[in-house]
Structure formats: structure tokens, C-alpha cells
Amino acid sequence: MAEAVSDAFDGGVHLLVQAGTGTGKSLGYLTPALARCVETDERVVVATATLALQAQLATKDIPTALDAVEEVTGQRPKAAILKGRTNYACLYRARQGGPLDQDSLIGSDALADAAATSKGDDTSKLGAEVLALREWVEEEAERGGLADRDDAPSHTAKGWAQVSIPTRECLGVANCPFGAECFVEASREEARDAQLVVTNHALLAINAMHGGTALPEHSALIVDEAHELVSRITTAATDELSPSLVDRVARRALTWLDDDLATDFLEQSDALREALDESELTRITEASAPLPYAAAALRDISRKVVSVLGKVTDDPERQQATSAVKEIFEVAGRIASLADADVVWVTHSEIMGRAAYVAPLNVAGLLRNQVFGETTTVLTSATLSLGGSFEPAAASVGLRAVDRIEPEGEPSDEFAWRGIDVGSPFNYAKQGILYVAKRLPPPGRDGMNEETLAEIAQLIWAAGGRTLGLFASRRAAEQAAEYCRRELPKQTILAQGDAQLSELTRRFTAEPETSLFGTMSLWQGVDVPGETCQLVIIDKIPFPRPDDPLMQARKKSVDDAGGNGFMSVAATHAALLLAQGAGRLIRRSEDRGVVAMLDPRLVTARYGSFLKASLPDFWMTTDGDIAVRALRRLRGEE
């Protein structure tokens, strides 16, 4: 892998590297990246999907690699971690607060008063939390730290919101009275002074969408956990509009508006609520529908408000309110236009009510032009080859089949790319069994059938617990948990929602005979080697939900262009999740176990071969007795 990454840098060829669990892929890309930093003094950026991996790189992998580089070359390149603005405390927010702190109708003085009380209610707890955070911010400022959220005292999201600030509302170094001490600017200065910069997909997305202003200049880019790149970029480019947001922003602006304009602006939240109530919970495509009409009216009013507010620029509170209204103006305009490149839809939640969303139909063009067109890029993940090919993953990020070159070929243009699978240290065929329950009926929409539930209970009995159950829906996970608790009363069955996910995972890891059932957050986020997880159950092929407006719009777009939307969108999505889910079983060379796929379509449907080719190379059977005997042998009963 290190050789392939080095060759990609030298030849200016984009590279997709599938590196299985246990490969040590972090060192596989850090080694050539740091060698390049030493040789050329050029900067390399590494983008990860999560802050957790950023922290792992910063505390473990990068120091290890830097020690080796220094021993061999005598030089030690500088490395820096760069996060988005809201991950750092804002001195202006922490010191000045405001009449209406973010996400709270409680002002700074009220928070202090609440903290001084001993009521123990949510308001006093928040007040105490915010005061503790503000003290910590001052300590960080005194010692020259970066006031990073991960280093802060214990806090809630609401508490952190009182000492951080959205990018839109930042006053800027020149206008902020504390600009010279700004933690964000200090972190960016560190990054500009470093040869290796580690960031995340979200900041990479912001950099791509805003003309390269979020990251320092760099000659090469490495994207780790690249299977999540499209999803993370899409999330960063998705906007929300809700009546409560409009109402909150309107109230922030009231101080500087005349009565008529203030009334008109406030009334827009009610108008938007009525339009959302009249809308179907699906994609909106007609300009005459209530939502685009209401969004257009909101856009026009917010434009007037921005014009009035923007006449004075030396009032920080007014400047922040202006930025908030500008965001409303832009999102409303995006929804009102119903552009072909966007997808607009309406959702409903029990807590927040109805809201409108707008997201890009695809992000391939953005990535092609603003990432691959700008710098040599390496994408790496344990799951990049889908259906036995790199082309589905490459196409999703804007790299086309015609751009691909063979290892001995010469790059044709800036979009030339190669794909390699560096293998795995694991012998999947000997360490694991893929059991496909061919005899079960295909899953339906009316919940899990009795035969499937009985199969789950039998497998867990055979494994003696030690089971991670990955379900396509919360309802299915709860139904299976209820059935197994009834049929296997001596077994401990945990289900997502019983407690915080971190606590459930801790118990699952500490108690080998415990089983854990859950949904999507478990498909990719659990790393439990050893006898704790000897059985992974997958209830059904994780195709996108038929009511997912964005995925359905992407599928239709491919169909309309003459392609196969089902295979390009739905099957590729399912293949990626299946590979991630099945990958939970074998995490080290000593692990043994069974992946039980309870959806017979994996072997009966025409697309099944594509999905199977995306999975680790387990030994496969459709005989349930073989799977049961194997699980019993693992626990020493046969």
C-alpha cells in the first residue's frame, strides 16, 4: 500500500486502495505522506470521516510514524489537527454571551443566576455547565491552548452552543474584539505551519464548496474511511428550513426592524408552517406546490431584512443577526427555485414537527471539479471494491471508467485513476462462515415473520449469546429482541434504545454471553474482537428505504439518463452496508464465527452475485444445521 500511495503521488494519478481490517492502513498512507513531506517540503492533507479517527491518528499513529521518519531521515515534519469552527470555543460568545444565546432563550445573566440556584432543574444545570465551560475557556486562553471541544469539561450540546459559534455568525478576525486570541485562527495558523494536516470529511466538503478557503494549500490529499465520503459531503451540502428556525432568527432581528417589516418577517414562520402542513411527506417537484410558494415569500422578506440590517456593520450583535437572516434567505431561495441539481422534500418528527430539506442530487461533480481536479487524491477504506470492482465507488465520487488506467499505463489527464486491493491479514475462508438462510421467506413490509424470528433465536442459542444483530429498522430490532427474551429467558438481549449506545456497547464488550441488537449506527461503528462477537445476524439486505426522497431521486436520475438506477444507487448502497456489517465479525487473526444472512435474496435474486462479491471471502453455506453446529463447536459443546 505504501508503495502504491508513493507511486500515486509521484505520477499524479488518483488512487483507490481497499485495505482490509488489520492491514494497518493508517501507517500504509502516513509513511509515504511523511516521506513526501521530508523530500519536497510540500503539505499533505489527511481527511477522516470521524473526529474519533482524527484523535486516534493524533495520539497513536502519527507519533509512531513521525518517530520512524525522524530515525531514518533525521527530520521530524510538523503535524496538526484541523477541525471545523464549532469544535472550538468562541471567545466572543464565551465572554459577551448575548441577549439571546444560541439555541436558548436564556440570556447570559439569566444563565449565571440559574447556576447560582440549587433547584437542580434543567435551567440551573445548564447555567452551571456554561459557567464551568467559560472558566475553562479562560484557562485555555491564558495558557495558549486551542479550547477544543474534545478537551472541554463534561457538557451537553446545549451547553457547548453557549460557548461556540456557527461559521455564519463569526464576526471575523478584523471585527471581533477578541480576534487576536481566536482559537480557530490559532488552529489554522498551526495547520499553515505544518507539513501534515489531519482534518475531517465535513471540513473537506466546506473547502470544496467555498473555493478552497477552509484548508491550507496542499499538494496531495488522502481520504480515509472513503466509503463514507459521499454521505458526509451530501450532509454538509444539505440545508434545513423549519418554522421554529425562522421564528428564532426573526426574533433576533426585531430590534433593528420597523414594526411593519418585523411583523411581516415573524408571520413567515406561520406561513411556512401552514405550507409544510399542506405538503406530502415526500419529494416536492412542482413549483405551484405550497412549499416553494411559501419559500419564495420568505426569500423576498428576508432579502429586505438583510438590506436593512446590513446598513450598520460595527454592531456585533446586529452583524450576527444579519448573518443568520442571510442563511434563511439563501436556503429559502434554494428551496423556492427547485433546481434540477437539488432535491427538496418534507419530513416530520415527533419532537421537531415538520421541516423542509434541500440536498444536492449528487456530489460527484463537486468532488470531481473541486477535489480531484485540484490535487492528487488517495481514497482508502476496508470497503471500496463493490461487486468485485472499484468502478461503483469511483463513479460515486466523480471518477469515470474512461479515466481509469492500468498499472503500466500513463496518466491521460488530471482525472486518471487506479484501484488496488492490498488484501487482508485474515483468512476469511477459514475463520468465518457466511450462512444464507435460503429456506426462509423473503422479508416483507409487515414486520418479521415467525420463521425468521425462530431462526434468530436458534442461532443465538447455538452461539450462547455472543451475537451482534444488525437490523434494517428499529422496529425489527425491537421485535427480534422481544421474541428472543421470551424464548431464551436465560440470555441477556440488549436492544438499541435501552440505554446510551456507548453503555450498550460497553456491556456487550464486557459480557461475552450478551447479545446486542440495533440498526445503522452498529453496522459501521462497533469494533469488538474476540469471543464477545462470534455471530453477526443481518436480517435483510439494507436497500435504501423506498420513502427516502434523495436516494429515490438519484435512482430516477440514473434511469432517466439510460443507466440502471437500481444497480448504481440501491444495490451499491446495500453492498457497501453489507460489507461493513459483515466486517464486524473478524477483527483479528484469532477471531472465528458466523455471519448469518436471513434474507434469501442474497442467493436467489439476480443482483445477489453483485452483493456477495462485495463481502469478505467467507466459506458459504445455505444449510442452517452447519451454522448451528459450527457455533456450538466454538463454545465447546460439540
Side-chain angles (χ1 to χ4, degrees):
M1 178 176 176
E3 290 174 352
V5 173
S6 182
D7 289 345
F9 290 161
D10 292 340
V13 175
H14 304 301
L15 179 68
L16 279 69
V17 186
Q18 177 156 293
T21 302
T23 305
K25 66 177 182 295
S26 296
L27 294 178
Y29 63 69
L30 285 173
T31 303
L34 289 169
R36 182 176 181 83
C37 293
V38 169
E39 292 166 4
T40 67
D41 200 32
E42 295 176 338
R43 185 180 294 109
V44 177
V45 169
V46 176
T48 73
T50 62
L51 295 176
L53 183 55
Q54 266 188 298
Q56 177 188 314
L57 289 171
T59 59
K60 180 182 176 183
D61 299 330
I62 290 176
T64 299
L66 286 173
D67 289 344
V69 169
E70 187 173 24
E71 182 176 336
V72 172
T73 69
Q75 298 182 54
R76 191 178 184 90
K78 289 184 179 179
I81 303 294
L82 186 60
K83 302 178 182 179
R85 183 173 296 277
T86 55
N87 287 285
Y88 302 99
C90 169
L91 284 165
Y92 179 83
R93 176 74 63 150
R95 290 172 176 172
Q96 302 293 104
L100 288 175
D101 279 13
Q102 182 184 358
D103 291 333
S104 173
L105 295 180
I106 307 168
S108 299
D109 294 338
L111 279 172
D113 291 342
T117 70
S118 56
K119 293 180 180 178
D121 59 15
D122 289 344
T123 300
S124 59
K125 288 177 182 177
L126 177 62
E129 181 182 311
V130 173
L131 289 182
L133 283 169
R134 287 175 176 169
E135 289 176 7
W136 165 77
V137 168
E138 293 303 330
E139 291 170 2
E140 290 293 291
E142 284 182 17
R143 72 177 187 86
L146 292 181
D148 188 319
R149 180 175 187 170
D150 289 343
D151 300 325
S154 177
H155 60 273
T156 61
K158 261 190 176 180
W160 183 254
Q162 306 296 328
V163 297
S164 65
I165 197 163
T167 300
R168 277 281 196 172
E169 296 182 26
C170 174
L171 300 172
V173 175
N175 296 321
C176 180
F178 312 111
E181 305 170 74
C182 179
F183 298 122
V184 174
E185 290 304 314
S187 71
R188 291 181 175 180
E189 187 59 37
E190 279 195 6
R192 286 190 288 267
D193 192 41
Q195 288 79 49
L196 182 75
V197 175
V198 182
T199 186
N200 52 58
H201 293 182
L203 204 57
L204 178 62
I206 293 169
N207 194 65
M209 291 187 294
H210 298 283
T213 57
L215 298 175
E217 289 187 9
H218 49 280
S219 65
L221 169 68
I222 299 167
V223 181
D224 201 347
E225 300 175 296
H227 62 277
E228 293 197 46
L229 181 61
V230 169
S231 173
R232 302 275 176 164
I233 298 286
T234 299
T235 298
T238 299
D239 287 318
E240 175 188 0
L241 193 63
S242 67
S244 60
L245 175 63
V246 174
D247 184 72
R248 190 161 63 244
V249 171
R251 293 185 184 281
R252 290 183 65 178
L254 293 185
T255 303
W256 304 282
L257 305 179
D258 64 42
D259 290 346
D260 289 341
L261 186 55
T263 299
D264 289 345
F265 197 13
L266 281 171
E267 287 177 348
Q268 292 306 308
S269 64
D270 292 331
L272 178 62
R273 182 176 289 104
E274 291 176 7
L276 290 169
D277 289 342
E278 294 174 15
S279 301
E280 294 185 18
L281 299 178
T282 185
R283 184 184 181 186
I284 306 298
T285 58
E286 298 295 329
S288 58
L291 177 61
Y293 182 83
L298 176 58
R299 174 200 61 202
D300 294 342
I301 291 293
S302 56
R303 181 194 287 118
K304 294 179 182 177
V305 173
V306 168
S307 177
V308 171
L309 294 180
K311 291 176 181 177
V312 176
T313 58
D314 58 355
D315 181 342
E317 297 297 334
R318 183 166 179 164
Q319 187 177 334
Q320 290 182 339
T322 304
S323 297
V325 179
K326 278 183 181 176
E327 187 165 7
I328 294 289
F329 164 72
E330 291 175 5
V331 176
R334 194 176 167 195
I335 291 174
S337 66
L338 292 178
D340 292 340
D342 279 334
V343 178
V344 175
W345 72 96
V346 177
T347 65
H348 173 79
S349 74
E350 293 297 327
I351 297 175
M352 302 303 295
R354 292 199 171 199
Y357 287 85
V358 54
L361 180 61
N362 70 68
V363 295
L366 174 68
L367 288 168
R368 181 178 178 85
N369 296 326
Q370 301 301 323
V371 177
F372 299 105
E374 294 293 324
T375 189
T376 303
T377 302
V378 173
L379 305 176
T380 185
S381 167
T383 48
L384 276 185
S385 176
L386 302 176
S389 169
F390 285 97
E391 290 182 3
S396 71
V397 296
L399 295 175
R400 301 164 184 161
V402 294
D403 297 326
R404 186 170 186 179
I405 60 172
E406 296 306 315
E408 67 277 3
E410 292 296 323
S412 55
D413 58 31
E414 71 268 35
F415 299 112
W417 65 278
R418 294 188 179 113
I420 65 164
D421 185 342
V422 299
S424 167
F426 305 144
N427 187 335
Y428 285 107
K430 290 186 176 180
Q431 290 182 244
I433 293 173
L434 172 62
Y435 161 52
V436 184
K438 185 178 180 181
R439 66 176 183 79
L440 291 178
R445 295 185 179 181
D446 299 324
M448 304 185 75
N449 57 66
E450 192 74 17
E451 294 157 281
T452 300
L453 291 168
E455 186 85 1
I456 292 172
Q458 183 182 33
L459 289 166
I460 291 177
W461 166 79
R466 300 175 172 84
T467 301
L468 179 64
L470 303 178
F471 294 85
S473 70
R474 185 76 165 264
R475 176 188 175 194
E478 291 171 349
Q479 187 180 1
E482 182 181 349
Y483 182 91
C484 290
R485 287 164 179 160
R486 185 172 66 249
E487 296 297 315
L488 304 169
K490 295 183 179 180
Q491 290 286 340
T492 300
I493 310 292
L494 305 176
Q496 194 171 343
D498 290 347
Q500 291 290 329
L501 191 56
S502 57
E503 172 61 17
L504 294 176
T505 304
R506 186 198 64 76
R507 285 194 60 189
F508 179 56
T509 303
E511 304 167 14
E513 296 185 358
T514 293
S515 298
L516 175 59
F517 292 1
T519 55
M520 284 304 150
S521 55
L522 296 181
W523 285 70
Q524 303 182 71
V526 175
D527 186 4
V528 185
E531 65 173 0
T532 290
C533 183
Q534 294 183 338
L535 171 63
V536 173
I537 294 176
I538 299 176
D539 71 325
K540 64 189 293 188
I541 296 170
F543 290 120
R545 292 170 42 182
D547 60 350
D548 184 326
L550 184 56
M551 297 299 281
Q552 295 307 314
R554 288 176 171 174
K555 177 178 174 294
K556 181 178 184 300
S557 177
V558 174
D559 288 337
D560 291 347
N564 186 329
F566 173 78
M567 292 303 296
S568 295
V569 179
T572 297
H573 172 88
L576 173 59
L577 284 176
L578 275 180
Q580 287 285 312
R584 300 306 97 196
L585 182 69
I586 306 297
R587 310 302 293 178
R588 62 184 184 183
S589 56
E590 297 83 11
D591 289 347
R592 301 288 187 276
V594 173
V595 173
M597 165 53 74
L598 306 185
D599 189 336
R601 294 176 295 176
L602 191 66
V603 292
T604 61
R606 289 169 56 188
Y607 51 78
S609 58
F610 172 81
L611 299 177
K612 279 190 295 179
S614 307
L615 298 175
D617 190 24
F618 296 119
W619 185 82
M620 195 187 89
T621 182
T622 58
D623 187 336
D625 290 338
I626 291 177
V628 166
R629 288 199 298 270
L631 289 167
R632 297 192 69 192
R633 277 197 301 273
L634 280 176
R635 56 188 287 214
E637 293 204 357
E638 276 200 11

